[in-house]
Amino acid sequence: MSGVHIEIGRPQEAVKQWSSKSIYFSLLESNHSATTQAESAGFLAKQLNETHSHTADMPANIEQLDAWLSDHNEVVGRQYHEYLAARKAGQPRWYFGTKSHALFFLRAVAPTKLVDGSWLYGLMKHWQDPRLASLIKIYLEELGDGVEAMNHVVLYRKLLKLNACEDWKNLDEKFFTQGAIQLALAAHTDSHLPEVIGFNLGYEQLPLHLLITAYELKELNIDPYYFTLHTTIDNAQSGHARGAIDAVREAMPLFGESRDYMQRVIAGVKLNDVGLSTLDVIKHFDLQGEVVRILQSKANIGQFMHSDRCVIGGKTINEWLRDQDQVAVFLYEMEKIGWVKRHQNPEDSPFWKVIAGDKAPMFGVFTGYEQQVIYDWIAGEKIESMPMLARLGRPWRMVEKQSVAQEEARHKRYGNVYDFQSGNKITHQLRQENDFTQDQLSFERHVHGIDDEEKLMHFLVDWMSPAKHYTSIGLCATRYFKSHMDSLF
């Protein structure tokens, strides 16, 4: 199963540049082309080669992993305690100066969060191998075991939508690198199993930034549930951090020489360093630059939409917007004439009144995220003195866990009526067929018509891919798969 793996540290004849963004979206296609497979293999080999010289703090001796895990959690716990003490003593937030800064972060890490757990997908076709049980369990839990309210990607998609940050696909190349790594590991698991196991080991350890992020998002009226969920599910006693160490031990019999195995596991751990880190993304935020970027993104259409009666700095607005390089100067000119009154209540700026509010002349032109950026930029040094509702928006509500009865009703509504425990098909009447239910009913009929276990599981695994698992059918497929796995182990 381990196959032939690409040697790390071997000199490359020529350094080829791959597009992380292109590979990311290509790997999210349902069926990978031969070109995608080849390019993603080369991309993965390049990342392994570049991180070969990096140091990793994890031990090479598998017997020392438990102590390593315990020490790591103790260090993170002490650091978080220091953070809380500093905040209690009056220090400002360490990560997010404004709500727009936090929303920028949510948007910037979306390419990674929206493939959460994807690096384990390649293991699903090996569902019968008990040596991979811990890893398969982790992947199922990333998928919420098929429950929409617990599926990590569903949760993050909802978080983006709630905060009007859904335009993440327009992000620059550098924000897709880590997500591309995770998808590449999923696509090449058969030749990189130890690296997948190692990546999972590194990723599932509780980081300090996760705790601080959740704390500060809550302060800024942004629902932190996605992040608090990971602080609990990744715990060292019974969560993913523990399961990740168990997985290292469980898979070792697949490899004859433990030293080589552990070196490849460590190589996988190092892949967590590829791309922008959480702190890199946070530091990447430039409020002024983000305002300029937002206006530039509107310029292609905006240059035709304004009346020539309004002249600012000797040019019409249309003329300013025809040259995107002049947008920063345009902002300066608006300040000069008082259209933007920096470091004051944005409500006092004519520009804000034009873009914000249901009856504003430019209602709908700027998204909620974009308005938050502009609001924070105008308020500037006075941001913390602005009214809380205007500055932070309406209070968020924690996601409520559904009761068992609600979940059973959801499953029945989705038509999950095949009992893997007994092997019998339950004779609930399927929903009435119409244009909105054809895909679900077709899925159910197909599942109920497969009598071969291997074929059935292969079909379900396809729907559990990073591109599909968060859909209604993907969630249903995950529940079928989970039910069968529970009957095996």
Side-chain angles (χ1 to χ4, degrees):
M1 177 178 172
S2 60
V4 177
H5 71 281
I6 300 174
E7 293 291 341
I8 58 176
R10 178 177 292 175
Q12 303 295 307
E13 294 181 1
V15 178
K16 181 175 180 178
Q17 297 299 319
W18 285 276
S19 166
S20 297
K21 190 171 183 177
S22 175
I23 288 174
Y24 180 93
F25 286 112
S26 295
L27 288 173
L28 278 178
E29 296 291 332
S30 297
N31 296 309
H32 301 160
S33 67
T35 299
T36 295
Q37 282 293 105
E39 289 189 349
S40 59
F43 171 77
L44 182 57
K46 177 176 180 288
Q47 307 307 324
L48 284 166
N49 188 63
E50 290 185 351
T51 56
H52 178 65
S53 60
H54 292 190
T55 59
D57 69 346
M58 69 161 284
N61 186 337
I62 196 170
E63 300 303 327
Q64 297 174 350
L65 286 179
D66 288 324
W68 171 73
L69 175 62
S70 177
D71 291 345
H72 169 80
N73 280 274
E74 183 177 347
V75 169
V76 170
R78 288 179 177 175
Q79 290 174 333
Y80 187 56
H81 179 76
E82 291 171 2
Y83 166 81
L84 294 177
R87 295 300 313 282
K88 187 176 181 179
Q91 283 192 18
R93 288 182 294 274
W94 286 14
Y95 285 3
F96 309 120
T98 61
K99 184 170 184 176
S100 61
H101 190 176
L103 295 181
F104 169 87
F105 168 77
L106 295 184
R107 179 174 172 270
V109 298
T112 302
K113 302 303 183 185
L114 291 177
V115 293
D116 200 359
S118 62
W119 60 90
L120 294 173
Y121 173 64
L123 298 164
M124 294 303 105
K125 63 183 178 182
H126 302 287
W127 53 272
Q128 291 176 305
D129 194 332
R131 294 168 296 187
L132 303 176
S134 292
L135 295 169
I136 291 174
K137 179 176 183 290
I138 290 173
Y139 187 69
L140 288 173
E141 289 180 355
E142 296 284 346
L143 273 53
D145 289 333
V147 178
E148 183 178 43
M150 299 300 289
N151 180 289
H152 294 188
V153 172
V154 170
L155 288 173
Y156 206 81
R157 286 169 65 90
K158 288 182 176 180
L159 184 62
L160 292 175
K161 183 177 182 179
L162 183 63
N163 292 284
C165 295
E166 296 174 283
D167 64 337
W168 59 273
K169 292 182 180 180
N170 298 321
L171 288 165
D172 292 339
E173 172 90 10
K174 56 182 170 287
F175 295 102
F176 289 86
T177 305
Q178 180 57 216
I181 282 287
Q182 296 176 17
L183 291 170
L185 286 170
H188 300 283
T189 300
D190 283 359
S191 56
H192 291 79
L193 177 58
E195 288 82 4
V196 169
I197 292 171
F199 182 88
N200 183 71
L201 177 62
Y203 199 93
E204 297 293 2
Q205 302 312 306
L206 181 64
L208 176 64
H209 65 73
L210 191 67
L211 298 168
I212 296 178
T213 296
Y215 188 92
E216 296 193 1
L217 290 180
K218 183 177 179 181
E219 286 188 325
L220 292 166
N221 257 1
I222 299 172
D223 188 348
Y225 182 67
Y226 173 88
F227 297 91
T228 56
L229 171 65
H230 283 75
T231 64
T232 56
I233 202 171
D234 292 341
N235 76 82
Q237 296 300 318
S238 59
H240 291 182
R242 165 53 51 190
I245 286 182
D246 292 340
V248 176
R249 292 193 176 97
E250 290 169 0
M252 181 173 278
L254 288 163
F255 301 88
E257 211 286 299
S258 62
R259 179 177 175 80
D260 177 64
Y261 169 68
M262 286 304 296
Q263 288 303 314
R264 292 180 62 188
V265 168
I266 292 174
V269 171
K270 294 177 184 178
L271 288 177
N272 284 276
D273 297 334
V274 174
L276 297 175
S277 70
T278 294
L279 295 182
D280 289 336
V281 172
I282 291 170
K283 293 175 183 177
H284 202 79
F285 181 68
D286 170 24
L287 183 57
Q288 173 83 18
E290 189 67 356
V291 173
V292 171
R293 184 199 65 79
I294 288 169
L295 293 184
Q296 287 175 335
S297 71
K298 311 295 180 183
N300 287 339
I301 300 298
Q303 63 178 303
F304 304 109
M305 297 297 170
H306 296 85
S307 169
D308 288 340
R309 290 178 297 176
C310 183
V311 177
I312 297 175
K315 295 181 182 180
T316 66
I317 296 177
N318 289 335
E319 288 173 334
W320 279 113
L321 295 180
R322 284 187 193 124
D323 184 355
Q324 293 191 13
D325 291 338
Q326 291 295 305
V327 167
V329 180
F330 177 45
L331 285 173
Y332 173 72
E333 292 293 340
M334 283 200 291
E335 284 189 63
K336 280 176 63 177
I337 67 170
W339 257 68
V340 173
K341 299 178 180 179
R342 296 290 311 282
H343 312 298
Q344 296 182 37
N345 191 327
E347 298 290 346
D348 297 333
S349 290
F351 177 60
W352 177 254
K353 293 177 181 178
V354 167
I355 69 171
D358 294 345
K359 296 182 179 180
M362 294 178 67
F363 170 75
V365 172
F366 294 90
T367 67
Y369 165 68
E370 292 168 342
Q371 287 189 31
Q372 186 71 56
V373 170
I374 294 170
Y375 182 96
D376 292 351
W377 174 71
I378 295 175
E381 297 171 357
K382 300 293 184 181
I383 185 67
E384 293 297 328
S385 65
M386 294 299 106
M388 183 170 290
L389 182 61
R391 175 168 57 92
L392 300 180
R394 297 186 181 279
W396 56 269
R397 293 182 178 179
M398 287 292 290
V399 177
E400 295 181 358
K401 292 185 178 179
Q402 296 172 307
S403 66
V404 174
Q406 287 175 311
E407 281 307 310
E408 289 177 350
R410 177 188 293 276
H411 289 189
K412 182 177 180 181
R413 188 165 63 253
Y414 281 153
N416 191 2
V417 294
Y418 192 93
D419 184 2
F420 273 117
Q421 299 279 352
S422 64
N424 298 324
K425 296 169 186 175
I426 303 171
T427 57
H428 290 308
Q429 183 178 1
L430 297 178
R431 295 169 295 168
Q432 182 179 0
E433 184 168 359
N434 57 48
D435 288 345
F436 299 97
T437 62
Q438 284 187 12
D439 58 345
Q440 185 68 40
L441 293 174
S442 177
F443 173 82
E444 291 172 351
R445 292 193 187 103
H446 188 77
V447 168
H448 299 163
I450 301 176
D451 294 324
D452 181 85
E453 181 186 46
E454 288 277 353
K455 291 181 179 179
L456 178 60
M457 295 299 275
H458 178 78
F459 175 73
L460 295 176
V461 166
D462 179 65
W463 276 101
M464 294 164 61
S465 73
K468 299 178 182 178
H469 69 75
Y470 59 87
T471 66
S472 60
I473 295 179
L475 292 165
C476 185
T478 304
R479 294 195 297 275
Y480 277 113
F481 186 94
K482 173 68 163 54
S483 177
H484 188 53
M485 294 303 295
D486 286 347
S487 69
L488 290 178
F489 301 113

